[in-house]
Amino acid sequence: EAGVAQSPRYKIIEKRQSVAFWCNPISGHATLYWYQQILGQGPKLLIQFQNNGVVDDSQLPKDRFSAERLKGVDSTLKIQPAKLEDSAVYLCASNQLNTEAFFGQGTRLTVV
Amino acid sequence: GENVEQHPSTLSVQEGDSAVIKCTYSDSASNYFPWYKQELGKRPQLIIDIRSNVGEKKDQRIAVTLNKTAKHFSLHITETQPEDSAVYFCAARTNSGYALNFGKGTSLLVTP
């Protein structure tokens, strides 16, 4: 089966600029997650969607981060304005209820 | 929320030796414990998982043990090979509707 697709793979922006990441989950997977992985650390959940509804966004910095999953399939994660500490790999994952979570390749963001 | 701690942060073994990575979790309601392997620049990939109704699970050279009373679980890799070199993450989840909480990772180096 096709995996979780993410784009772009890499992005370099200046602080205070905006950036958007895109994720296409595995077909049929109702649950989609966005994780932030800072270098040397484990992935940290930013937001979880079930179909097109938000299940958990308690760790999403809502003053600058936003995410949507229109039509319950693709999702976009946006940062505006970016800060230096947002430099990380942004991982998208998806699964069906109570099954293995599959990760995309991630988008490596560098904020300079 | 769930807090997962992982030790050690780095581990170096000689080829053929065994490697053990340990994790503890805080939420006694957690019932699913996967282990992911992440090679440099690649996506995390599930290598083995265990559910709370099982105490041990094996898959060839890899095994996971779970002690629910002590709230800890461990990954055991026997007969290590250089291709086992990677970062390993443990994770925990309270129920099928929620996201994984990850440990900070263990960087395993297997030297020939």
Side-chain angles (χ1 to χ4, degrees), chain A residues 52-109:
Chain A
N52 60 350
V54 175
V55 173
D56 182 359
D57 64 355
S58 58
Q59 298 188 86
L60 187 74
K62 297 180 185 66
D63 58 334
R64 297 183 302 105
F65 286 64
S66 64
E68 60 181 11
R69 191 182 183 198
L70 299 176
K71 300 180 182 178
V73 182
D74 293 5
S75 177
T76 56
L77 176 69
K78 297 180 181 178
I79 308 175
Q80 181 179 11
K83 293 185 175 181
L84 295 176
E85 57 261 37
D86 298 332
S87 295
V89 175
Y90 290 84
L91 292 164
C92 178
S94 71
N95 70 343
Q96 281 289 39
L97 206 61
N98 210 28
T99 63
E100 172 187 353
F102 291 88
F103 284 83
Q105 293 273 37
T107 295
R108 181 177 298 277
L109 174 67

Side-chain angles (χ1 to χ4, degrees), chain B residues 11-19 77-82 84 108-112:
Chain B
L11 180 60
S12 182
V13 300
Q14 287 203 315
E15 183 176 2
D17 287 349
S18 295
I77 306 175
T78 58
E79 300 172 23
T80 54
Q81 302 167 2
D84 294 329
L108 173 65
L109 176 65
V110 180
T111 54

Side-chain angles (χ1 to χ4, degrees), chain B residues 92-103:
Chain B
R93 186 177 70 195
T94 52
N95 68 51
S96 59
Y98 294 96
L100 294 169
N101 291 283
F102 284 86

Side-chain angles (χ1 to χ4, degrees), chain B residues 30-45:
Chain B
S30 291
N31 59 15
Y32 176 65
F33 308 92
W35 286 88
Y36 281 81
K37 176 183 180 182
Q38 187 175 31
E39 296 176 358
L40 192 62
K42 296 191 176 180
R43 72 188 78 194
Q45 291 195 296

